[in-house]
Structure formats: C-alpha cells, structure tokens
Amino acid sequence: MGEHRQRYNEEFKRQTVKFAQEQRQRKTMRDIAQELDIPLSCLHQWMTQYREFEN
C-alpha cells in the first residue's frame, strides 16, 4: 500500500553525477538513469546539487 523509496548515500550521488557528466556526450540523461536503475528526477536533482564545473 505504501510506496517504498530508495535512499542513496552521498558518495553514490557524487559518483553518479561524475559518471553522468562523463557520459553526457554519448548518452541522454534518461539513458543514464535507466542504466543505473535510478529515477530520472533524482538524477536531475543530483546534477543540480553536485555538478562540478570544469575550469
């Protein structure tokens, strides 16, 4: 009846963002989320929160 929500630790989130940034030229955000089995909305949120900009 109740929805079970997956919780992810900070290290997983940071590594996911790093991976997504490396893959952006080859894959869509949707593809990356599906590959990692995480909700697309989480990936978007983490990208905003943990994005590391290159100098």
Side-chain angles (χ1 to χ4, degrees):
M1 197 161 175
E3 182 180 327
H4 177 70
R5 296 181 66 178
Q6 176 69 38
R7 297 204 182 257
Y8 304 97
N9 66 36
E10 295 296 310
E11 182 62 22
F12 178 80
K13 293 176 186 179
R14 291 180 192 280
Q15 290 298 319
T16 300
V17 169
K18 182 177 178 182
F19 175 76
Q21 288 178 316
E22 293 168 353
Q23 299 297 313
R24 287 290 299 267
Q25 300 300 319
R26 295 177 287 268
K27 299 178 182 179
T28 66
M29 294 287 280
R30 183 175 306 282
D31 291 339
I32 294 167
Q34 287 178 341
E35 181 178 326
L36 298 174
D37 195 28
I38 59 174
L40 181 59
S41 60
C42 286
L43 183 56
H44 281 296
Q45 180 182 352
W46 300 345
M47 290 295 288
T48 301
Q49 187 174 2
Y50 297 105
R51 185 181 315 253
E52 295 179 12
F53 297 101
E54 296 181 20
N55 293 342

